[in-house]
Amino acid sequence: MVTFNKKKFKQLFENKMYSIYAQSIEEANNEQLLTILSSVIKDIISKKWIETRLSCEKEVYYFSIEFLMGRQLKSNLLNLDIQKTIKDGLQEMGISLDDLINAEGDPALGNGGLGRLAACFLDSMASLNISGHGYGLRYKYGLFEQKFVNGYQVEVPDNWLTQGSYIWETVRPNKAIVVKFEGKVYLVEENNKLKAYHKNYIPVMAIPYDIPIIGYQNEYINTLRLFKSEVINRDFGPLTSNAKNHFGSYEEALKYKYYTEEISQSLYPNDSNYAGKLLRLKQEYFLVSAGMQDIIRKYKKSKLNILDLSKNIAIHINDTHPTLCIPELMRILIDEEQLSWDEAWCITKNTISYTNHTIMAEAMEKWPIDMMKKLLPRIYMIIEEINRRYVQNLNNKYNDHEKIKRMSIINHENISMANLCIVGSHSVNGVAALHTDLLKKEVLNEFYDDEPEKFNNKTNGIAHRRWVMNCNEDLSDLITDLIGDKWKKDTLQLKELEKYKNNSQVLSKLNNIKYSNKKRLADFISKEYNIEINPNSIYDVQIKRLHAYKRQLLNVLHILHLYHELLENPNFDMEPRTFIFGAKAAPGYDLAKCIIKFINSVANKINNDEKIENKIKVVFVENYGVSLAEIIIPAADVSEQISTTTKEASGTSNMKFMMNGAITLATLDGANVEIYEQVGDENIILFGLKASQVLNYNKYGGYSALDLYNSNRYIKRVVDDLINGFIPNMGNEGRKIYDSLITYNDEYFVLRDFENYIEAQYKVNELYKQKEKWNSISLVNIANSGMFSSDRTISEYAKYIWFKGVR
Ligand code: 73E
């Protein structure tokens, strides 16, 4: 696409090296070479980037408190279609492209699925020629780096901006925006209208850092804009008259500097949990206000009518973290654009759409009224008025005081962000069919009954370019050899692969690719962890955040079960297995940390027990993240998707594994249900309680973990291992886990599903013995994974939410 060749590239590269570092290429280290390469690429794309920014189609803005982007170099080269030119050019200068690809840092500005989804969506929007841009925060510290010390998780700060800057970003101080916190709001009547004056606020500067998002071979480049918080004037110059003078003294000045910089200092390390901290609310408003003001400023420059905002712009909020987009847009339209309440409300609702990602009660954001009032006085007034009108409307419809209390945005001492989102947007979607069903029928049922037309499902998807084409090049080439390359832009074409499901030659090629990916991972694990694993063993993988509902505990209890079987009966028939875990626990999540210690201790015992002749190996990779996923997933045979049914809204690693040919071992939870629908009974291994059974237990009780423990000797055997000293080198972690199962009656039904899980695992074992059948199932999974591309997901968002009636 770009008119440029190897010779020109080398010239550009050399010149850049001189102008930036004033040194020869030979003297540069990998970090510098990478900086130069990214800078050359930014030069190449700059014209196209500007052109995309000036496009005049309807624009989408995706607000997310997390973007888990992963490394960018390889993906950018693929999307620009310049890998070969760059690789050869570098080689002639004595530089290895692969070394540079691996030298790139992996920005961890997200916790897990939610942040990674946002990154996949950016990739798909650009690749589908949608003018869709991300707004997020430029955290100085991303998700902590995980280390294991004696099997315990230890958190180390993730100082990812080692150079002070990120190679793909462009800072735009000229586009900085002021965000106002605290102070007092005065309502003054002027010309029969109430006007709001915000005085004595604390101003915080939002500095935009732009990252190009390059579409797949379509010359389309969008922007991820991340804001950094700073003092209002870098030189501490005079403030505007409205702002409180915070630098009366040196001490005050430093306090103010701390106040501002703290906001984008670090990512909250919680996944599916809500902490309720003031700083988090500051982060949320900072993101929202900076982004919203930026959008409106640009919109006004374009001279379009503000009353037509929703025709030209769609704003999407990724979970409730950016909910304040709703009152912030109201504030701008009323206070700054002088629109009436009704006009502003209509525009706001028609512009904003919302995705719900979880039904877990502990993740639901509720902000104390007092906190909101003090931090964001004008925003609080607006929320109050939204609520007053909404409750009035409900009162006209329903004669049920309790119901109205449950539905109102403000109740007791709190503001419910989910309720505000539903009321203030035109679309509410879940992230998998089952999840959306639960929203409609259970969690948000009263809202659904009230406004059914708002609710819809958009099953998640993944960027197949990163998760197959880039991380599994051999598989990608095989697919292209078999069915041509149309699948790269239309993954439903993968279905064509199914005709090879009985073709031994193709299946053998697939097998060889899996084997070489497994070998690559074995080499990596040997080098990094000094553990030797057998590439002919079954690679059984569970990689995701550590959470009780995801049930890594079920997995490790099954490993113990196998271990006992092997010890008791040396002829016990099992294929060699390598169990691979990767998971970070939130630093304050005690039970999760106990489970990490337990898995590490089990690994240590089993890996060093010669009696079992290497039949089982357990590897817990340290510091799991995007880059590790990229080498683990292509090597996986079994994809562990074993959450307690109803708890995992969708899951997305399940889709990545499937596209790479792993066989799913799953409960019928989240998007596993849809994977099952795609492949059918023969090509997935299911177990565990159904959603209706879990809901019944939750509503009516009737489950006793203790009874199960007492009546099932296999259950008793592994549960006792938690406390009887069988696993050495444990503190009281075993006891805590034991209590969660027995004393607190096993909230996530680990023991209830245990036997069924063992049976399912036995099926895995038996199937693997029939290697050709296994490979055939693997192929069928790849062939039916097309619907799980985020291109499909984004097309649906575009068609049914963002461009409804426009395109
Ligand atoms: O099931 C996943 C889902 O695949 C869900 O748990 C996750 O979102 C993924 C993408 O849709 C999720 N993360 C959060 N809530 N749901 C969350 C909550 C609070 C802070 C950070 C993330």
Side-chain angles (χ1 to χ4, degrees):
M1 74 169 248
V2 186
T3 47
F4 116 119
N5 54 35
K6 195 167 62 180
K7 189 163 160 234
K8 187 149 176 221
F9 164 65
K10 283 167 64 183
Q11 225 169 38
L12 289 171
F13 193 90
E14 257 175 20
N15 290 343
K16 244 323 161 226
M17 182 62 80
Y18 299 143
S19 67
I20 294 189
Y21 291 117
Q23 67 176 1
S24 69
I25 289 172
E26 292 72 33
E27 285 172 282
N29 61 23
N30 274 349
E31 218 165 64
Q32 292 173 321
L33 291 170
L34 197 54
T35 304
I36 298 301
L37 180 56
S38 64
S39 178
V40 170
I41 294 171
K42 280 193 282 183
D43 287 350
I44 298 171
I45 63 170
S46 58
K47 197 158 163 273
K48 286 279 166 254
W49 197 7
I50 294 166
E51 280 169 17
T52 320
R53 279 212 300 273
L54 296 177
S55 81
C56 49
E57 320 145 49
K58 182 162 185 176
E59 291 186 329
V60 179
Y61 291 98
Y62 195 84
F63 280 74
S64 180
I65 203 99
E66 305 188 1
F67 284 93
L68 192 46
M69 298 297 289
R71 291 171 173 156
Q72 296 296 296
L73 176 56
K74 198 170 179 189
S75 149
N76 284 345
L77 295 179
L78 172 81
N79 288 5
L80 292 167
D81 201 11
I82 55 174
Q83 317 90 308
K84 186 157 167 34
T85 315
I86 302 272
K87 192 178 175 106
D88 295 351
L90 286 172
Q91 199 165 21
E92 285 179 16
M93 295 185 283
I95 305 163
S96 145
L97 174 60
D98 286 341
D99 286 354
L100 297 192
I101 287 172
N102 290 324
E104 187 181 347
D106 181 348
L109 308 187
N111 273 288
L114 173 139
R116 184 53 232 172
L117 186 77
C120 287
F121 281 6
L122 291 182
D123 181 288
S124 285
M125 287 192 285
S127 298
L128 294 172
N129 294 21
I130 292 171
S131 181
H133 312 275
Y135 276 118
L137 293 180
R138 184 179 177 274
Y139 300 107
K140 185 168 176 197
Y141 299 98
L143 186 62
F144 64 85
E145 188 186 330
Q146 178 193 53
K147 294 215 182 291
F148 292 145
V149 177
N150 189 23
Y152 291 100
Q153 167 174 298
V154 172
E155 301 95 24
V156 179
D158 161 57
N159 192 6
W160 71 290
L161 291 166
T162 42
Q163 311 276 300
S165 64
Y166 172 50
I167 55 172
W168 299 106
E169 73 189 4
T170 303
V171 55
R172 303 195 190 283
N174 56 322
K175 297 207 167 147
I177 283 164
V178 178
V179 178
K180 301 172 182 177
F181 291 96
E182 304 190 34
K184 215 169 152 44
V185 173
Y186 299 90
L187 292 177
V188 180
E189 198 171 323
E190 281 174 18
N191 307 327
N192 287 333
K193 265 176 115 177
L194 279 183
K195 229 178 154 292
Y197 289 96
H198 194 172
K199 303 265 179 154
N200 288 329
Y201 55 81
I202 302 174
V204 178
M205 197 67 118
I207 312 285
Y209 287 74
D210 287 356
I211 298 165
I213 306 294
I214 300 169
Y216 178 64
Q217 300 181 4
N218 64 350
E219 312 212 349
Y220 208 89
I221 305 176
N222 287 330
T223 302
L224 168 59
R225 177 162 284 184
L226 302 179
F227 292 107
K228 173 174 186 276
S229 60
E230 279 190 9
V231 294
I232 187 152
N233 244 328
R234 283 179 167 176
D235 58 4
F236 278 41
L239 288 172
T240 58
S241 57
N242 270 341
K244 207 185 210 166
N245 188 345
H246 290 276
F247 348 123
S249 65
Y250 180 67
E251 206 189 346
E252 287 289 305
L254 286 187
K255 252 202 222 155
Y256 170 62
K257 183 168 153 60
Y258 184 75
Y259 185 99
T260 61
E261 290 177 1
E262 191 193 18
I263 295 174
S264 61
Q265 189 84 348
S266 65
L267 168 77
Y268 271 87
N270 277 315
D271 184 76
S272 350
N273 193 15
Y274 150 72
K277 292 282 187 313
L278 175 64
L279 181 58
R280 172 70 164 199
L281 183 59
K282 282 185 194 166
Q283 291 185 334
E284 293 183 358
Y285 184 65
F286 177 74
L287 160 65
V288 156
S289 181
M292 229 31 155
Q293 291 186 60
D294 198 35
I295 292 170
I296 300 295
R297 179 176 61 189
K298 185 173 164 205
Y299 186 79
K300 290 182 71 174
K301 254 195 178 161
S302 73
K303 301 271 184 279
L304 290 163
N305 188 338
I306 195 79
L307 293 171
D308 291 333
L309 188 78
S310 69
K311 290 200 190 104
N312 296 300
I313 281 178
I315 291 171
H316 200 89
I317 55 187
N318 195 23
D319 214 279
T320 56
H321 321 130
T323 303
L324 294 175
C325 278
I326 293 163
E328 177 67 1
L329 182 53
M330 289 295 285
R331 183 190 71 74
I332 295 172
L333 295 177
I334 294 170
D335 293 356
E336 291 172 15
E337 301 305 316
Q338 328 295 341
L339 298 192
S340 71
W341 180 279
D342 289 337
E343 285 169 327
W345 184 239
C346 180
I347 293 170
T348 299
K349 268 201 341 190
N350 288 333
T351 306
I352 292 178
S353 46
Y354 153 64
T355 297
N356 173 292
H357 291 265
T358 179
I359 62 170
M360 307 260 296
E362 60 265 39
M364 292 299 172
E365 289 192 297
K366 291 184 169 51
W367 293 107
I369 291 176
D370 290 343
M371 197 192 274
M372 186 80 78
K373 229 184 208 167
K374 177 159 189 299
L375 186 71
L376 308 168
R378 182 59 181 146
I379 292 300
Y380 179 69
M381 282 179 181
I382 292 169
I383 295 174
E384 231 182 1
E385 181 62 12
I386 293 173
N387 187 53
R388 194 188 64 78
R389 290 172 185 242
Y390 180 59
V391 169
Q392 194 172 52
N393 169 285
L394 292 176
N395 272 321
N396 293 338
K397 281 198 257 184
Y398 309 109
N399 191 12
D400 180 343
H401 188 63
E402 285 306 309
K403 176 186 173 111
I404 292 168
K405 238 166 73 184
R406 285 192 298 272
M407 293 177 78
S408 63
I409 297 160
I410 305 177
N411 43 37
H412 306 298
E413 257 90 76
N414 291 316
I415 303 165
S416 155
M417 301 306 252
N419 295 14
L420 179 51
C421 273
I422 299 164
V423 176
S425 66
H426 65 93
S427 168
V428 177
N429 75 280
V431 290
L434 173 66
H435 169 61
T436 302
D437 235 46
L438 291 169
L439 290 179
K440 289 182 185 174
K441 295 198 182 121
E442 305 279 332
V443 194
L444 302 179
N445 176 255
E446 292 177 316
F447 293 97
Y448 173 64
D449 281 349
D450 190 49
E451 297 185 282
E453 66 290 343
K454 271 191 188 175
F455 287 76
N456 62 92
N457 176 247
K458 297 287 166 283
T459 298
N460 282 166
I462 54 158
H464 65 280
R465 287 167 286 273
R466 174 176 293 265
W467 294 108
V468 179
M469 290 164 65
N470 258 334
C471 73
N472 199 344
E473 287 172 85
D474 293 344
L475 178 62
S476 176
D477 290 345
L478 174 65
I479 296 172
T480 305
D481 282 349
L482 295 172
I483 64 169
D485 66 3
K486 284 207 186 96
W487 68 280
K488 294 180 176 174
K489 289 200 171 186
D490 171 14
T491 48
L492 291 179
Q493 300 286 332
L494 288 169
K495 188 81 183 165
E496 294 292 306
L497 286 172
E498 229 176 44
K499 62 175 178 259
Y500 298 102
K501 72 178 180 188
N502 297 317
N503 181 323
S504 301
Q505 228 183 337
V506 168
L507 296 179
S508 146
K509 282 186 185 163
L510 187 64
N511 186 61
N512 294 343
I513 291 168
K514 186 61 85 181
Y515 182 83
S516 79
N517 291 335
K518 287 168 78 171
K519 180 79 178 55
R520 178 176 66 167
L521 181 59
D523 292 343
F524 175 84
I525 286 172
S526 164
K527 195 169 130 245
E528 295 290 317
Y529 309 102
N530 206 13
I531 300 174
E532 301 309 316
I533 64 171
N534 171 7
N536 286 309
S537 65
I538 305 174
Y539 282 18
D540 180 324
V541 185
Q542 187 173 19
I543 41 174
K544 47 185 81 248
R545 285 300 286 256
L546 213 137
H547 201 295
Y549 85 79
K550 295 180 190 276
R551 300 200 295 189
Q552 282 91 352
L553 183 56
L554 178 59
N555 189 341
V556 69
L557 291 179
H558 164 252
I559 297 172
L560 274 173
H561 172 79
L562 291 179
Y563 182 48
H564 280 293
E565 295 292 286
L566 280 172
L567 289 177
E568 285 181 15
N569 174 7
N571 297 322
F572 177 69
D573 170 42
M574 76 170 270
E575 294 295 299
R577 246 217 249 183
T578 303
F579 293 94
I580 298 169
F581 292 88
K584 290 183 181 178
Y589 190 171
D590 189 43
L591 181 62
K593 288 179 137 181
C594 290
I595 294 171
I596 289 182
K597 169 64 180 168
F598 183 57
I599 297 173
N600 276 327
S601 304
V602 168
N604 207 16
K605 172 149 178 132
I606 294 181
N607 293 346
N608 295 305
D609 187 343
E610 285 173 9
K611 290 195 289 300
I612 60 164
E613 294 169 340
N614 295 326
K615 279 272 173 69
I616 306 176
K617 287 275 156 150
V618 183
V619 180
F620 201 142
V621 299
E622 229 172 9
N623 201 34
Y624 172 66
V626 175
S627 295
L628 271 174
E630 286 170 2
I631 84 165
I632 295 172
I633 292 172
D637 294 308
V638 179
S639 158
E640 296 266 358
Q641 307 299 336
I642 59 177
S643 53
T644 309
T645 308
T646 72
K647 298 291 180 191
E648 189 72 270
S650 159
T652 41
S653 78
N654 44 5
M655 303 167 185
K656 296 169 196 164
F657 281 111
M658 179 193 192
M659 238 183 234
N660 281 279
I663 296 181
T664 311
L665 169 56
T667 50
L668 275 176
D669 197 19
N672 303 345
V673 178
E674 287 151 273
I675 291 179
Y676 166 61
E677 285 166 2
Q678 291 299 307
V679 300
D681 277 314
E682 296 293 299
N683 300 297
I684 187 167
I685 298 174
L686 298 173
F687 76 100
L689 292 173
K690 304 285 175 293
S692 56
Q693 293 175 293
V694 171
L695 293 175
N696 270 333
Y697 274 136
N698 288 343
K699 272 184 205 152
Y700 310 112
Y703 171 55
S704 165
L706 183 62
D707 287 353
L708 272 181
Y709 167 85
N710 284 325
S711 62
N712 183 314
R713 84 176 181 93
Y714 295 119
I715 291 180
K716 186 164 186 320
R717 183 168 65 177
V718 292
V719 172
D720 285 347
D721 286 345
L722 287 161
I723 50 170
N724 62 11
F726 180 66
I727 306 300
N729 193 23
M730 295 264 292
N732 65 349
E733 295 79 26
R735 170 61 65 181
K736 287 187 186 168
I737 300 170
Y738 179 94
D739 283 345
S740 79
L741 292 174
I742 305 299
T743 317
Y744 300 106
N745 201 31
D746 185 17
E747 184 179 353
Y748 297 103
F749 304 106
V750 173
L751 303 184
R752 179 68 177 79
D753 279 344
F754 186 69
E755 268 211 297
N756 206 205
Y757 181 59
I758 290 176
E759 285 159 17
Q761 284 284 22
Y762 182 70
K763 285 188 199 156
V764 170
N765 189 66
E766 294 307 295
L767 194 58
Y768 200 74
K769 290 180 188 163
Q770 306 159 259
K771 207 54 202 300
E772 184 148 322
K773 186 163 178 208
W774 181 283
N775 291 328
S776 172
I777 294 177
S778 168
L779 185 86
V780 171
N781 270 272
I782 300 169
N784 289 286
S785 67
M787 77 156 279
F788 299 108
S789 164
S790 48
D791 287 1
R792 188 271 311 150
T793 314
I794 285 299
S795 309
E796 291 179 1
Y797 275 93
K799 186 164 174 201
Y800 299 107
I801 301 178
W802 302 329
F803 304 140
K804 210 170 167 181
V806 178
R807 272 192 168 182

